[in-house]
Structure formats: structure tokens, C-alpha cells
Amino acid sequence: MFETGSHDGRTTREGIRIHAREDFACMHRAGQVAARILDDIAEHVFPGQTTGELDRLITEMVAAHGATSATIGYRGYQHASCISVNHVVCHGIPGSPIPPSKHEGRGRGNDVLIDGDILNIDVTVIVDGWFGDTSRMFVAGRPKPFAERLVKVTHDALMKGIEAVRPGNTFGDIGHAIQAYVEAQRMSVVRDFCGHGLGRVFHAPPNVLHYGRPGREATLEEGMFFTIEPMVNLGRPETKVLADDWTAITRDRALSAQFEHSVGVTASGVDIFTLSPAGRFYPSMG
């Protein structure tokens, strides 16, 4: 299933590809295109906007950068982004209806944004054969205080996980750093979805869990590329996938948030490929 890409000739016993130093520059180029697209879409997120229009704009932006969308045609998916609003955990389909959240108190789809909505926009592009994958939270208008706190905790949890990335640490160290921080804030980490390896492929080993025990799982080595993308719920961690086979929601209809970076392990730490060129990774709160 996984293609052969440029690497230093090794794959770990867990099947994790070790990439060469020159591959870091390729991942930066792909990651920066994805990050710029999310920078540019920020001004289009406002009450009254539709998720369908956001996806249309993202499709145009991908083409304008000379990139290819990794998601259009992937397992039948037909959009250049996933847009997950309020209690949608991940893989929200732009323009598709979803059941109402208990926080919304109304029956509506996720197509038209209203004041206070929080949403994750996830974009993956292919640039010269390399995959850039990132997502971040946006706010339509001004969020409720509990939603604002959820977004902040989720962002900070991602950064806690990234701080644990260095040779000699383990993937369990990453998961533990995220889980310990989130649960100390009386929120929960989603177990049903995880980060993944990438490079010249969209998804590859390892599975990067956002919970775990220190010292467990594979040991980090220079040249590993993967995403860290914790999903954090205000309520319980359980999720449910809807009949469209894509949209995942919280079972208790509590709000959910997610942030994602693509990273590479360096000799001394971590290289973040998807940093926001405009410094917009963390959303303005209205």
C-alpha cells in the first residue's frame, strides 16, 4: 500500500520509514503550502459563511499554489478539505448536514456558520510528490467562554506533544504529554483517531496516539516524519461515525476541537513543517 520514497535506506522494525536530511526541505515546501492556505482562508470564516464556500475557496487556493489536493478522490472523498463544526470531531464533509449539538439547541446542518461556531479546517496537499498535512481551529464571530477554553487547551496539548519529540523519546511519551495535560484540564482525549506517518505517502506507519504511557511504543529516531493531531472533547472521549462513513461526532454531543502539525525528528529535537507563515495558527477570538 505504501510507496517507496527517498529515505536513508532503513525502515524500523515497526515499519517506520527513516528519511534523509534532504527530504526535510521537501516536507517544508509541502507543509508551507498547506499552512498558507489555512492562513488565507481565515478571513473568509465569519457568521453567514458556508462550509461549502470555504471548501470551494480552498480548492481554488490549492490550484493557485500549483499543488494537488490529497483528499479529492481519496477513498471516494470529493472535497479539498474536511470542515468539522462544533461537536464534529473530524472528517466533517463541507456542506453536509449533521445532527444538532446539545450546546446549539437547534436543528441545523453545518453548512451555514453562525456567531460562536468553532470549526476545524483540515487541508492536505501534494507538492512535488510530498504531502503537507495540517489543520487548525477557526471561530465564526465570538465563541462562548467554554468553547474558547476548549480551543486553547487543544492547541496547548498539541504543543505539549511536540515538545516531547526528540531522538530517544518514544511515541508513548508524546501521547502521555498530551493526555496528562488535557485530563488535568478536566477534558478528554479522543481515542478513536490518531496521527500518522507521512512523506511521499498520505498515511504510513506509525499510528501516533494522543494518549499513552511514558517509555512505551516505538523509539523516535532522526528522519521520522509524522503528524500529531489531538482531538479534545469537552465531554467524554467516545465518538460515533455517521452514515456517510466520514463524519465523526462526539457521542454525547459535547464540543470537540483539534489542531494538527506535520513534524520531523531532527538530531536534537523537532522540525515543524506546517508552521503558519502569517502567525495565524492559533485563531483570533473575535
Side-chain angles (χ1 to χ4, degrees), residues 250-272:
T250 55
R251 281 192 174 271
D252 61 6
R253 301 299 197 269
L255 291 182
S256 186
Q258 180 186 18
F259 283 88
E260 174 185 14
H261 270 314
S262 295
V263 304
V265 183
T266 68
S268 59
V270 62
D271 194 355
I272 304 174

Side-chain angles (χ1 to χ4, degrees), residues 1 43 49 64 68 82 89 92 123 184 187 191 226 232 238 254 269:
M1 176 179 178
E43 66 182 281
Q49 179 64 282
T68 301
C82 292
V89 175
V123 170
M187 299 180 191
R191 266 73 164 170
F226 50 88
V232 176
E238 293 83 9

Side-chain angles (χ1 to χ4, degrees), residues 5-12 16-20 23 219-225:
S6 175
H7 56 92
D8 75 351
R10 287 194 303 118
T11 300
T12 70
I16 304 170
R17 185 170 299 152
I18 305 299
H19 294 83
D23 294 341
T219 299
L220 301 173
E221 296 184 40
E222 182 182 4
M224 289 181 173
F225 297 163

Side-chain angles (χ1 to χ4, degrees), residues 174-198:
I174 297 172
H176 176 74
I178 294 169
Q179 180 184 8
Y181 176 74
V182 169
E183 293 180 353
Q185 309 304 313
R186 299 183 179 273
M187 299 180 191
S188 63
V189 176
V190 170
R191 266 73 164 170
D192 297 334
F193 302 93
C194 61
H196 54 88
L198 80 170

Side-chain angles (χ1 to χ4, degrees), residues 118-121 135-139 151 256-259 281 283:
I118 61 171
L119 56 151
N120 176 273
I121 303 180
S135 79
R136 66 181 81 154
M137 295 301 295
F138 296 83
V139 179
V151 170
S256 186
Q258 180 186 18
F259 283 88
F281 188 70

Side-chain angles (χ1 to χ4, degrees), residues 3 5 26-27 30 68 125-132 199-202:
E3 302 170 10
C26 299
M27 287 298 288
T68 301
V125 298
I126 308 170
V127 178
D128 298 328
W130 294 86
F131 285 72
R200 281 191 172 272
V201 294
F202 196 171

Side-chain angles (χ1 to χ4, degrees), residues 115 139-143 148 283-286:
D115 186 55
V139 179
R142 184 175 294 277
E148 183 173 357
S284 168
M285 291 297 178

Side-chain angles (χ1 to χ4, degrees), residues 10 39 58 80 84 88 102 134 218 230 258-260 269 272 275 278:
R10 287 194 303 118
D39 281 352
I58 290 168
S84 303
V88 178
K102 68 179 182 181
T134 186
Q258 180 186 18
F259 283 88
E260 174 185 14
I272 304 174
L275 288 173

